[in-house]
Amino acid sequence: MDDRVTDTAAVGVVPEDSVRHVRTVIIGSGFAGLGAAIRLSKDGREDFLVLERDSDVGGTWRDNTYPGAACDVPSHLYSYSFALNPEWSRSFSAQPEIQHYIRRVARQYNVLEKHVFDCDVTEARWNCGVSRWELTTSRGHFSADTVICAFGALAEPSLPSIPGIDIFDGEIFHSAQWNHDADLTGTRVAVIGTGASAIQIVPAIVDQVQHLDVYQRTAPWLLPRFDRAYTRIERWAFHHVPGVQRLLRAAIYGGREVQVVGLAKAPVFMKPLEWMARMKIRTEIKDPALREKVTPNFRIGCKRMLISNDYYAALDRDDVELVTDPIAEIREHAVVTRDGTVRPVDAIVIATGFQVTDSPMFEVIFGRDGRSLAQVFGEAGMQAYKGATVANFPNMFFLVGPNTGLGHTSMVYMIESQINYVADAIAALEQNGIRTVEIRKEVQDDYNRDLQEKLSNSVWMTGGCASWYLDRHGNNTTLWPDFTFKFRRQTQRFDIAAYEVSADAGTPVG
């Protein structure tokens, strides 16, 4: 069933010669932006808009519709704590089910009328004279006292710079922009990449295509996917037995949180998982040469750990080749590797991930001194305070900001923690007559020095790999280096003392 929400959006286009002002603008309507909208509405703050560049809510789960797309966090944890879903059909949900859930929650909490869809933000600039954010979009001009950036880390596809990629004469598309009109039946297909998307795509299309080449730069560690359909009795219990879902959610959360010990504190404790992953290779791949190719040369957890029950089996077939030689060029109908091998191909699937540390959105946000977010981050890497605020950008809050990512559990937990912080900040502004808040640069610097110190002994920094977790300065600006409940405790209240504050004329700051 097509349950898209576009027809319910009631906010119209702003005339070109006018500016619509609201107290708060939220940029993006994935899990983070939608959650923020619901929280503002719950708090009775209705003077806000959500600017969404697409025609539907959902973010990552709207965009990634490739074959086999599914979540690698159990369903009951990968959902809002205030909107538990008794309808989950499996322990790990597929993309259509997650997207349906997001759409249902958007309707349930009546925030769709606050959305402006097909609204691409092309510039957000702080106006010091009036202490407001001014936004230029594809649907007119807006201004806001506060802005919540919820455009996400997995929003902009990362495309490889391979010579000749522009002259390829067949179907070519990124996994996050899957062309469902392209018929891959009986064709020769190349999949570039072996990350989280690729290990789902390969098994999903291998029986359809004539031949499949998988181009691997770095072998990932794979763990079993403990996935199954819920029984009728379990689904009945989710609907009718109070507390069952919350108990299951808590158990999943606790089990996942144990991994933090090995990931962030003492990497030696990752050994049991590495043994499990090595046994998986040994039992699922018969060819010794292929086993060697898929065995990583770094410690498990250094790069994102993946889960799959059918990826290795898909590789261990006569009509599939795992290619580890680097790609030299792409021709009209072939991929050429550095060793000179020419492999004919009809279609190319690019599964090379996203621009996490260099999002194009950073280029269009300009702070107090006129510098863009990209310029500020370019000097010393992505840095924020509690992943939520950045010096030089007053009254701007980030969800899924720097060092809030996770390698083991649900990002929704971190998103809700940040929403608590931002909602409390907005309440503090209103209650105390505050015009602007901006994190003190020295506080932000101290916070990030502490983060990098904690990260220095983690598996992400000592595991012997290069990953998208790291920026060009060699810092891990992506992941949170501790238990997630500590982050929640840290973001429970807005700590106004850490900020430079200006008040409305004649209004004391309480």
Side-chain angles (χ1 to χ4, degrees), residues 116-135:
V116 185
F117 289 110
D118 300 309
C119 184
D120 189 17
V121 176
T122 56
E123 183 179 277
R125 189 177 291 272
W126 177 252
N127 186 325
C128 292
V130 293
S131 297
R132 287 179 176 176
W133 282 99
E134 296 176 344
L135 300 99

Side-chain angles (χ1 to χ4, degrees), residues 414-437:
M414 297 292 277
I415 287 168
E416 288 194 22
S417 299
Q418 284 198 288
I419 288 173
N420 290 340
Y421 188 76
V422 173
D424 198 51
I426 291 175
L429 264 68
E430 292 186 2
Q431 293 165 8
N432 296 295
I434 296 172
R435 178 178 288 270
T436 66
V437 291

Side-chain angles (χ1 to χ4, degrees), residues 374-401:
Q375 290 173 310
V376 171
F377 285 166
E379 292 177 2
M382 288 200 311
Q383 291 186 2
Y385 178 65
K386 299 185 178 181
T389 52
V390 178
N392 189 54
F393 295 85
N395 291 18
M396 177 168 278
F397 303 94
F398 295 84
L399 302 180
V400 196

Side-chain angles (χ1 to χ4, degrees), residues 61 70-79 88 90-94 98 200 225 227 252-253 256 304 307 406-413:
W61 296 105
C71 191
D72 57 5
V73 175
S75 310
H76 286 282
L77 186 59
Y78 198 80
S79 52
W88 294 126
R90 313 185 59 82
S91 48
F92 290 85
S93 298
I98 297 172
Q200 295 179 338
R225 184 181 184 87
D227 186 25
I252 296 169
Y253 173 79
R256 291 267 168 157
R304 182 178 175 182
I307 58 173
L406 301 172
H408 68 289
T409 192
S410 174
M411 271 308 299
V412 183
Y413 184 92

Side-chain angles (χ1 to χ4, degrees), residues 18-59:
S18 66
V19 177
R20 178 171 180 179
H21 179 76
V22 290
R23 294 297 296 270
T24 302
V25 157
I26 301 169
I27 304 175
S29 190
F31 259 110
L34 182 60
I38 292 170
R39 177 59 182 270
L40 290 180
S41 183
K42 279 184 170 184
D43 289 350
R45 293 181 170 84
E46 295 293 342
D47 190 14
F48 71 88
L49 287 176
V50 183
L51 308 185
E52 168 53 54
R53 68 179 181 180
D54 209 279
S55 59
D56 200 356
V57 298

